[in-house]
Amino acid sequence: MSVQQDLLDLGDLFNFCDLSTFTQNIPLEWVASALDLSSQATIRRRRLPADQVLWLVLGMALFRDEPVHEVARRLNICAQGLASDHLLARSGVTEARKRLGADPVEWLFRKTGTQWGAERYDDDAWHDLQVFAVDGALLRTPDTPELRDHFGSGNTPSERQTPFPMLRLVALMNVRSHVILDAQLSPYRRSEMRLADEFLQQIPDHSVTLFDKGFWGAELLSSLSSAGSNRHWLIPAKKGLVCEEVSRYSQHDRLVRMKVSPQARKRNPALPSHWEVREVSYEIQGKVKTVMTSLPVDTYNAKAVAKLYQERWEIELGFRDIKSSMQQNAMTLRSKKVELIYQEVWGLLLAYNVIRREASQAAVAFGRAPSDIRFKPACQYIAVQLIVMAAANPISATGRRLAELRAGIGGLFLDHRPRPSRPRTVKISKTRFPVDRKAAPLK
């Protein structure tokens, strides 16, 4: 039996109805504002009121290996005094989630991203600039006609489509703390670049944002630099990019001029016919890589710029934490209705931010960087232990409990010792037929 299961069994001893664990990071006034957006309001005293269903959505993200109704039962998600000792009907849990809708969960996630995403920690800046990253990921949904019609899916070389409908996620992440500032969800067919346009204004001033090459475009990058103060970007050069050299700063550093595409100028007539960007080249594992940036040459040298771009992979690690550690590598999301799919994913992102925020606070207490925390054990430890500790006596000694919690995270830091070299070897290919190693070779 897993450690998570053992700790969940403590729900039989403690009353989790209050779930005040999350109020240490999520103030109650945020919750009240979020619930004002609920799709259905009622004065009826329900067994599953909206505020408790909101915590249930977080519990779904934290305990992916438990069915939804079992999460509700174990955490005692119900109004106090309303027969909480009886099992909840599965249909009642589903109907309660429908009444809540996706908007309150989305609002609460965005609130946490705005408040926590731009927080600064000691030594988390790069040359006095905060570092952010933008990238996209795909999440699979169950294969139902309703979900396939709404979300769509990718095409295969044949006329068939991919086995599952897919939801597109594009996120803006703080590279150093891994907290997600903002995100956009959409059906599969919508462009990642157009989704990223919607949260560029959320990027703080005095920052540099790292992009994947799929976000290359004069409109997006120019608007990022011009919309704020001292906001810069860094992105790899597209293959076959046509440009002319304006000036050369060093052997691997120069200023180039490129044409702005007619499509971009049609969408934004304010764009000029040409634009100038800095091009930095560097060698890694025997291959020459090239990145484009708005960072000025007189302040940021080429070597530092090339090294900075390696941090773009931090957002990939964040997506891995969500899919692998939180979702347990599940093939699809849980929900089977469009509105509940959006609610589930916003809850997943909200729970991720709560865990990252608490892990960041613990890292600071130990004088370490927030990204040094190993996410998977932190997720298990924080999601369960913090609930148990706060629910046992949610009012008193909160500061002491948080101190004890963060003290327990001391063993969850990454080990930066060099790993032993293990050269890759070619292994026998898998086959469903038995292999007779004594058989004579074919002639």
Side-chain angles (χ1 to χ4, degrees), residues 43-61:
I43 61 174
R44 174 184 171 186
R45 191 187 179 204
R46 295 185 178 274
R47 188 177 179 189
L48 286 172
D51 57 337
Q52 300 302 315
V53 180
L54 182 61
W55 303 131
L56 170 62
V57 173
L58 268 72
M60 290 170 51

Side-chain angles (χ1 to χ4, degrees), residues 108-179:
L108 200 53
F109 159 73
R110 296 190 188 282
K111 186 68 174 180
T112 63
T114 302
Q115 295 293 321
W116 304 341
E119 287 181 334
R120 288 181 175 269
Y121 299 92
D122 293 339
D123 301 326
D124 73 338
W126 180 82
H127 294 271
D128 296 328
L129 298 179
Q130 283 191 288
V131 185
F132 302 97
V134 173
D135 204 356
L138 295 174
L139 299 172
R140 291 184 290 264
T141 75
D143 190 8
T144 67
E146 177 186 354
L147 297 181
R148 187 172 286 277
D149 181 65
H150 178 83
F151 291 108
S153 61
N155 295 327
T156 63
S158 66
E159 295 181 356
R160 300 177 60 189
Q161 291 184 316
T162 50
F164 297 99
M166 290 187 288
L167 173 147
R168 189 177 297 280
L169 161 68
V170 177
L172 168 66
M173 181 180 289
N174 186 319
V175 166
R176 302 301 171 89
S177 68
H178 285 201
V179 172

Side-chain angles (χ1 to χ4, degrees), residues 24 358 386 389-390 393-407:
Q24 311 304 329
E358 189 59 38
L386 189 57
M389 292 161 57
N393 192 354
I395 299 177
S396 63
T398 297
R400 179 177 59 82
R401 289 196 186 89
L402 288 178
E404 293 174 357
L405 168 71
R406 292 166 187 172

Side-chain angles (χ1 to χ4, degrees), residues 107 119 207 223 268 287 300 340 347 372 391 396 399 430 433 437:
W107 186 92
E119 287 181 334
S207 64
S223 60
N268 185 358
K287 295 182 179 181
Y300 311 99
L340 298 186
D372 283 344
S396 63
K430 295 181 179 179
F433 302 105
R437 299 184 183 277

Side-chain angles (χ1 to χ4, degrees), residues 3-16 73-76 384-385 387-389 391-392:
V3 175
Q4 260 191 341
Q5 184 67 38
D6 292 337
L7 293 174
L8 275 172
D9 289 334
L10 291 174
D12 298 331
L13 301 177
F14 297 110
N15 179 15
F16 292 88
R73 187 189 72 82
R74 287 188 178 276
L75 299 186
N76 199 12
V384 181
Q385 286 286 348
I387 289 177
V388 172
M389 292 161 57

Side-chain angles (χ1 to χ4, degrees), residues 10 15 34 92 107 137 189 220 234 236 242 273 278 280 311 387 439-440:
L10 291 174
N15 179 15
W107 186 92
R189 292 297 180 185
L220 183 146
L234 185 57
V242 178
S273 59
R278 181 184 176 192
V280 175
E311 296 192 38
I387 289 177

Side-chain angles (χ1 to χ4, degrees), residues 75-350:
L75 299 186
N76 199 12
I77 304 291
C78 60
Q80 294 185 6
L82 293 183
S84 60
D85 56 329
H86 295 154
L87 290 176
L88 292 167
R90 300 187 184 188
S91 59
V93 175
T94 302
E95 291 302 317
R97 291 182 59 202
K98 290 180 180 179
R99 289 194 300 269
L100 177 67
D103 291 343
V105 191
E106 177 184 355
W107 186 92
L108 200 53
F109 159 73
R110 296 190 188 282
K111 186 68 174 180
T112 63
T114 302
Q115 295 293 321
W116 304 341
E119 287 181 334
R120 288 181 175 269
Y121 299 92
D122 293 339
D123 301 326
D124 73 338
W126 180 82
H127 294 271
D128 296 328
L129 298 179
Q130 283 191 288
V131 185
F132 302 97
V134 173
D135 204 356
L138 295 174
L139 299 172
R140 291 184 290 264
T141 75
D143 190 8
T144 67
E146 177 186 354
L147 297 181
R148 187 172 286 277
D149 181 65
H150 178 83
F151 291 108
S153 61
N155 295 327
T156 63
S158 66
E159 295 181 356
R160 300 177 60 189
Q161 291 184 316
T162 50
F164 297 99
M166 290 187 288
L167 173 147
R168 189 177 297 280
L169 161 68
V170 177
L172 168 66
M173 181 180 289
N174 186 319
V175 166
R176 302 301 171 89
S177 68
H178 285 201
V179 172
I180 299 177
L181 277 76
D182 205 346
Q184 292 291 332
L185 306 179
S186 79
Y188 173 77
R189 292 297 180 185
R190 192 165 180 200
S191 165
E192 288 185 344
M193 188 179 297
R194 300 284 74 84
L195 292 174
D197 284 337
E198 299 185 19
F199 54 62
L200 289 183
Q201 68 276 7
Q202 299 293 336
I203 300 177
D205 294 339
H206 308 289
S207 64
V208 55
T209 305
L210 315 178
F211 291 92
D212 184 27
K213 61 183 177 182
F215 294 89
W216 173 264
E219 181 182 9
L220 183 146
L221 300 176
S222 297
S223 60
L224 170 61
S225 299
S226 60
S229 173
N230 200 25
R231 298 203 305 177
H232 300 285
W233 49 265
L234 185 57
I235 189 171
K238 293 184 66 175
K239 186 177 181 180
L241 187 66
V242 178
C243 59
E244 59 176 323
E245 182 177 309
V246 177
S247 60
R248 180 168 289 275
Y249 308 122
S250 66
Q251 181 180 0
H252 302 289
D253 194 359
R254 62 176 184 164
L255 182 68
V256 298
R257 179 185 294 118
M258 298 167 292
K259 290 184 178 180
V260 177
S261 68
Q263 295 82 1
R265 297 190 66 192
K266 184 177 181 180
R267 287 192 301 267
N268 185 358
L271 291 175
S273 59
H274 292 76
W275 64 316
E276 296 181 354
V277 299
R278 181 184 176 192
E279 180 188 87
V280 175
S281 300
Y282 61 96
E283 184 175 333
I284 182 171
Q285 296 180 352
K287 295 182 179 181
V288 177
K289 305 288 185 179
T290 304
V291 293
M292 302 296 204
T293 183
S294 63
L295 293 166
V297 66
D298 55 348
T299 309
Y300 311 99
N301 62 62
K303 185 177 180 180
V305 171
K307 184 178 180 181
L308 172 65
Y309 188 72
Q310 308 309 311
E311 296 192 38
R312 194 199 71 80
W313 291 104
E314 296 296 325
I315 191 172
E316 302 285 2
L317 297 179
F319 288 147
R320 183 199 64 182
D321 292 336
I322 292 174
K323 291 183 176 182
S324 178
S325 300
M326 297 185 71
Q327 287 288 285
Q328 312 258 337
N329 290 318
M331 183 66 68
T332 67
L333 298 167
R334 297 173 181 259
S335 307
K336 297 183 180 180
K337 297 292 182 180
V338 172
E339 181 76 1
L340 298 186
I341 284 287
Y342 284 111
Q343 181 194 81
E344 180 180 347
V345 177
W346 289 125
L348 186 64
L349 298 177
L350 175 59

